[in-house]
Amino acid sequence: MIRPYTPTDREAVLAFVKEVLGEYGFESNIGGVEGDLHDIELRYVAPHAGFWVTEVEGVIAGTVAIRSKHEKTCELKRLYVSKRARGRGLGRALYEHAEAFARAAGYDRIWLDSSRKFTDARKLYERNGFTLTAELDNDWCDNVYEKKL
């Protein structure tokens, strides 16, 4: 079940994201991730933004977020699934939840950047109609994608 983030999730979400990033060789402070996660209540404010989690057996197993980028474009953020929960369709379900939210909020485009190290995420984005718009040589080795809704 996907549910909205609550402040009581903070420490579990921080630990979860740190674990996932570490799996790919990233530090949890890369690109401002820790600061972003410490300010979820300020950065992901409804009705034009949101942050959601899913649990498996009472433990955070996935996250996803949407926030406004500019005008009618939103940004997909923090789509992570734990290694132990992959292969169950959680990534797809989290993505679909975020896209449904974006449509309901009136956005007409989703933008995202995702490390090339996240190969499963890349497949998910491409299967869901995203177009690669740039390849960045930054700390993340990001690919940038967009999708018209």
Side-chain angles (χ1 to χ4, degrees):
M1 177 179 94
I2 298 169
R3 64 170 177 78
Y5 167 91
T6 66
T8 59
D9 294 321
R10 179 184 319 278
E11 294 306 316
V13 166
L14 286 167
F16 164 74
V17 171
K18 184 176 183 175
E19 176 185 319
V20 172
L21 292 178
E23 178 186 343
Y24 292 91
F26 293 119
E27 296 292 324
S28 61
N29 62 353
I30 186 170
V33 171
E34 283 183 3
D36 185 66
L37 294 175
H38 278 289
D39 291 335
I40 290 172
E41 296 90 347
L42 299 174
R43 294 178 187 255
Y44 300 95
V45 179
H48 300 292
F51 195 105
W52 302 273
V53 300
T54 189
E55 298 173 324
V56 172
E57 299 174 358
V59 177
I60 300 288
T63 60
V64 70
I66 290 284
R67 70 177 177 199
S68 181
K69 183 141 178 80
H70 57 78
E71 297 179 20
K72 293 285 192 175
T73 300
C74 65
E75 183 175 8
L76 180 75
K77 300 288 291 179
R78 310 296 169 226
L79 178 53
Y80 301 118
V81 175
S82 70
K83 187 174 187 175
R84 71 187 183 292
R86 291 184 196 140
R88 300 180 185 191
L90 291 179
R92 180 179 30 83
L94 286 161
Y95 169 74
E96 289 172 355
H97 183 86
E99 182 178 309
F101 174 87
R103 288 178 185 279
Y107 292 111
D108 62 16
R109 183 180 308 268
I110 299 178
W111 182 95
L112 68 91
D113 54 2
S114 180
S115 175
R116 288 185 286 280
K117 291 183 178 185
F118 301 149
T119 55
D120 289 339
R122 183 188 75 233
K123 292 173 191 173
L124 174 72
Y125 302 138
E126 291 172 354
R127 275 194 312 266
N128 282 282
F130 281 85
T131 302
L132 178 65
T133 62
E135 293 181 351
L136 307 178
D137 291 323
N138 57 12
D139 292 341
W140 289 93
C141 298
D142 276 331
N143 282 345
V144 178
Y145 297 91
E146 282 190 355
K147 176 182 179 177
K148 285 185 134 185
L149 298 177

